[in-house]
Amino acid sequence: MMIDRETFVELMSGVCAPVTVVTATTADGRPHGSTVSSFASLSLDPPLVSFALDRSSGLLAHLQPDDRVGVNILGAHQQELASTFARRRLGPGLKFEGVTWTVRSGLPYLPESAGWTAGRVERHVDGGDHVLLVVRVEEAESTPTAPLVYARRVFGTHSLLAVAS
């Protein structure tokens, strides 16, 4: 027996998820990015992370195995960026208009994020209406900035981390 979609959505809305902007550079050099809340560590040895993209995501075509990818782990103060990059149907580069960004390790980078990682897509794994991407980490940086999280359909942060930063 399977549960209905609404019950599953309600259950998962209560799970705090990190908010990231996953970025890539298109073949013609344009920046591309999307808000992703399924980012997770996968393995310590080798260092692997994962995240999932909807099969209809425009970013997915630019993240095939061996392609380079960046993950900007957003800080609690970057809610507006999360909303900007969550907009659908904007082509490569358009989400970056009016946004402060730079290039780091050949990838679009959002300064003032709580963390950054870059690596290569190792493989895609079927995940129903999403594709799970496994990424081998080649570069990483963390900061003391409180991370942005998403739960119950609102942005926030962990209260103890907010006090600490």
Side-chain angles (χ1 to χ4, degrees), residues 31-52:
H32 204 328
S34 187
T35 299
V36 174
S37 61
S38 58
F39 179 71
S41 68
L42 183 61
S43 169
L44 210 50
D45 187 18
L48 299 173
V49 295
S50 67
F51 59 87

Side-chain angles (χ1 to χ4, degrees), residues 11 32 51 96 120 127:
L11 169 72
H32 204 328
F51 59 87
F96 287 84
R120 290 197 182 275

Side-chain angles (χ1 to χ4, degrees), residues 63-87:
L63 294 177
Q64 297 304 305
D66 207 40
D67 285 344
R68 291 193 33 77
V69 59
V71 180
N72 298 269
I73 301 163
L74 298 187
H77 64 287
Q78 293 178 304
Q79 294 179 26
E80 188 175 318
L81 276 178
S83 296
T84 296
F85 283 90
R87 289 183 284 167

